Amino acid sequence: VAAEVARVLSPGGVLACVVGGGAVGGEAYERFLTLLRRTTEETPSSQRIPALGDKRTRSREGLDEVLGPAGFAAVDWETVPIDLSGPVEQVWAAVSSLYDLGPLDRAAVERLRKAFFAEVRGMAIPDGHVPCVFRIRLATARLR
């Protein structure tokens, strides 16, 4: 894929991609990830959400390893917080749409939803909003 991107980019062109950066910590997204992992572990393997992509793309060094041989300069890396805070129903809709829950059966998704609501309701600030922030990384690399 990296070689094909390099082939179609103009010399000096820039590849930009968004890479997940994980939870900020102590908020609803982190709780969702913990509950999702637990749900997935309890689910038969035929219904589990498949792991996607090359694990090297999750770090700056790994992206350099993938892109360098295709002719790209070292990756620039910027971490950007994404704030999805809001009412618990809105936060659930946002975080549950970040992952393909399709392989899970309806009962598993409903258990996940109920567990999420139970875990994060107590986190709500006085206006009823639940804090929910995660990070993405914007990676850019220029074709040499």
Side-chain angles (χ1 to χ4, degrees):
V1 171
E4 183 63 9
V5 171
R7 186 186 73 76
V8 300
L9 268 179
S10 299
V14 176
L15 166 67
C17 53
V18 175
V19 180
V24 171
E27 41 60 57
Y29 183 67
E30 182 177 48
R31 304 274 175 94
F32 174 79
L33 290 178
T34 300
L35 293 167
L36 180 60
R37 278 188 205 98
R38 187 178 312 142
T39 300
T40 301
E41 289 167 0
E42 296 168 353
T43 301
S45 60
S46 63
Q47 296 175 2
R48 289 187 182 160
I49 300 166
L52 302 174
D54 185 327
K55 289 184 180 183
R56 294 177 296 173
T57 63
R58 298 180 188 147
S59 73
R60 184 183 212 164
E61 295 76 20
L63 273 174
D64 282 338
E65 185 180 320
V66 170
L67 298 174
F72 287 91
V75 171
D76 286 323
W77 193 262
E78 179 184 354
T79 301
V80 179
I82 304 294
D83 189 346
L84 300 174
S85 301
V88 68
E89 295 83 5
Q90 178 182 315
V91 172
W92 164 256
V95 297
S96 65
S97 70
L98 295 172
Y99 294 86
D100 179 10
L101 302 181
L104 299 174
D105 65 33
R106 283 181 154 167
V109 173
E110 183 57 21
R111 284 191 305 275
L112 175 60
R113 187 187 72 77
K114 285 181 178 179
F116 178 78
F117 276 56
E119 289 254 342
V120 303
R121 281 206 189 274
M123 299 172 67
I125 57 177
D127 69 358
H129 285 184
V130 172
C132 183
V133 181
F134 69 100
R135 295 181 290 248
I136 60 167
R137 295 194 176 106
L138 175 59
T140 57
R142 185 169 301 281
L143 187 60
R144 293 181 271 220

